[in-house]
Amino acid sequence: MARVVEQSQARTEAAGDLLLDVRGLKTYFFTSEGIVRAVDGVDLKLKRGTALGLVGESGCGKSVTSLSILRLVPPPGRIVEGQIWLDGEEILSLDDTQMYAIRGRKVAMVFQEPMTSLNPVFTIGDQIEEAILAHQSISKQEARSRAIEMLRKVGIPEPGKRYSNYPHELSGGMRQRVMIAMALSCSPQLLIADEPTTALDVTIQAQILELMRALRERERTSLLLITHDLGVIAEMTDEVAVMYAGKVVEHAEVNDLFRDPLHPYTKGLLLSIPTVATSRSERLRVVDGNVPNLLNLPPGCRFNPRCPSAMEVCREAEPNLKELRGGRQVRCWLY
């Protein structure tokens, strides 16, 4: 009975402002050395038409979270627990055929390195067309026109000519634009972008971010942006979730988080950002220590070995994600 009520509440929320609702998600990798708890009880909420940033050091579970939402976790990984509600539908209960219909149509992803995501033996036009024909009942000619239109929308010059190019004939920035065109070709409600500018130079990074912002505003697509760059988070998102060792440790509106970070890890990340006032001789601040081995996590709070504010309770028991006034959430015994 409780589960029926919970499902009814989730549908009610999703029918309103809530597009994505991740509850208690656990994704583990079962290796010969032991169980890697890559995502260990993650909760996320994303409203329609808004952008949520997912930030943290490498290895904290950001990318595995995104792959879990798409149900594309590679073996030996497996989603072992949790719920993922997308537009009022619990997608972890769907079979592979039903999930295939959702990818591209309701949720799409832009991966970090387009050269490994695009097929080198097919033209970019063929690859965008394939995505369109998989989810829309239109002719091949209409799909071709749609593909060329999408290339134009993402700012690729001479889209009719570029349609026949192979991935190796395009620059890194152009290939990333193609990935964005492919992801948006079926007008998904949710776009997941996993480090979409990491492999690009600074000028192209700015162009890609501006493109994504303009497309999101025009198409009203919700965005889940995964990055380790807090500058990108400040520029692109409405809310931000900070991850550490497989868990969300803080969730807040982006302005609140930058103005008043609560978790010691978030404070350390923000203090490590160089500013225009930082002199050349001044040593940059760092978060001391390393991310723990997910095969051998420390007892208590996972951040306690690196935390300057650690107390005895931090070494004994793990804190819950506590909701404070204003909807802010923090996982820390200080609160």
Side-chain angles (χ1 to χ4, degrees):
M1 181 66 184
R3 179 172 174 80
V4 172
V5 172
E6 183 181 86
Q7 290 180 347
S8 176
Q9 289 174 339
R11 289 193 188 97
T12 301
E13 283 183 303
D17 290 337
L18 201 58
L19 176 64
L20 176 69
D21 187 1
V22 178
R23 300 180 179 187
L25 178 65
K26 294 184 179 182
T27 303
Y28 296 169
F29 287 79
F30 297 85
T31 72
S32 58
E33 297 179 9
I35 300 175
V36 178
R37 294 171 172 80
V39 176
D40 198 17
V42 163
D43 297 296
L44 291 174
K45 293 183 187 293
L46 176 59
K47 297 175 184 176
R48 297 176 190 274
T50 64
L52 171 66
L54 197 56
V55 68
E57 294 170 277
S58 297
C60 71
K62 304 186 302 294
S63 294
V64 177
T65 299
S66 68
L67 292 173
S68 299
I69 293 169
L70 288 161
R71 280 183 46 187
L72 291 175
V73 179
R78 190 167 75 244
I79 298 172
V80 298
E81 194 176 307
Q83 296 180 331
I84 300 175
W85 293 87
L86 179 64
D87 193 29
E89 189 170 23
E90 207 291 299
I91 62 176
L92 292 185
S93 61
L94 303 180
D95 60 32
D96 290 343
T97 301
Q98 292 170 314
M99 194 63 210
Y100 177 80
I102 284 177
R103 292 190 206 103
R105 182 173 59 86
K106 281 193 175 183
V107 56
M109 186 162 182
V110 178
F111 291 92
Q112 181 172 342
E113 178 43 67
M115 200 59 196
T116 60
S117 304
L118 293 168
N119 193 320
V121 301
F122 291 99
T123 66
I124 61 171
D126 285 338
Q127 295 181 63
I128 298 174
E129 259 188 43
E130 181 183 15
I132 295 170
L133 291 171
H135 298 287
Q136 298 184 17
S137 300
I138 59 177
S139 68
K140 187 171 177 61
Q141 184 59 41
E142 289 173 316
R144 184 181 191 279
S145 298
R146 171 76 173 163
I148 292 174
E149 173 63 15
M150 288 307 303
L151 291 175
R152 184 192 64 77
K153 279 187 175 182
V154 298
I156 291 181
E158 299 181 281
K161 178 181 176 182
R162 296 297 184 186
Y163 173 92
S164 301
N165 285 157
Y166 289 88
H168 72 271
E169 297 179 290
L170 303 179
S171 67
M174 286 282 206
R175 288 194 293 266
Q176 196 61 288
R177 287 173 186 266
V178 169
M179 287 298 299
I180 295 171
M182 189 182 302
L184 295 175
S185 61
C186 295
S187 302
Q189 295 169 289
L190 172 61
L191 177 65
I192 301 174
D194 186 3
E195 302 276 10
T197 61
T198 295
L200 307 175
D201 65 56
V202 176
T203 304
I204 302 301
Q205 280 185 29
Q207 292 175 4
I208 294 297
L209 292 175
E210 181 56 38
L211 168 65
M212 291 180 66
R213 182 193 292 107
L215 288 171
R216 185 171 74 85
E217 291 174 355
R218 188 166 69 225
E219 307 291 337
R220 293 293 294 165
T221 303
S222 300
L223 175 66
L224 177 60
L225 178 61
I226 298 164
T227 182
H228 62 273
D229 190 332
L230 286 164
V232 171
I233 290 292
E235 185 179 353
M236 292 289 293
T237 65
D238 304 300
E239 296 185 8
V240 55
V242 181
M243 284 192 72
Y244 184 80
K247 289 184 177 289
V248 173
V249 297
E250 186 166 355
H251 189 144
E253 290 188 5
V254 66
N255 290 335
D256 290 339
L257 185 118
F258 277 82
R259 182 175 59 247
D260 182 27
L262 299 179
H263 198 279
Y265 177 60
T266 309
K267 293 178 181 179
L269 289 179
L270 291 173
L271 286 172
S272 68
I273 302 174
T275 67
V276 291
T278 304
S279 67
R280 291 186 178 184
S281 60
E282 187 178 344
R283 188 182 181 90
L284 293 177
R285 300 281 293 273
V286 297
V287 181
D288 292 331
N290 298 304
V291 177
N293 185 340
L294 296 180
L295 284 167
N296 186 26
L297 291 165
C301 173
R302 297 180 181 191
F303 187 60
N304 86 77
R306 307 173 69 185
C307 182
S309 304
M311 304 174 289
E312 191 59 36
V313 66
C314 304
R315 302 179 181 91
E316 297 174 350
E318 186 171 22
N320 294 319
L321 191 64
K322 182 178 178 62
E323 184 157 337
L324 309 178
R325 281 189 296 178
R328 296 192 66 168
Q329 295 177 313
V330 62
R331 188 185 301 275
C332 182
W333 285 114
L334 293 173
Y335 305 93

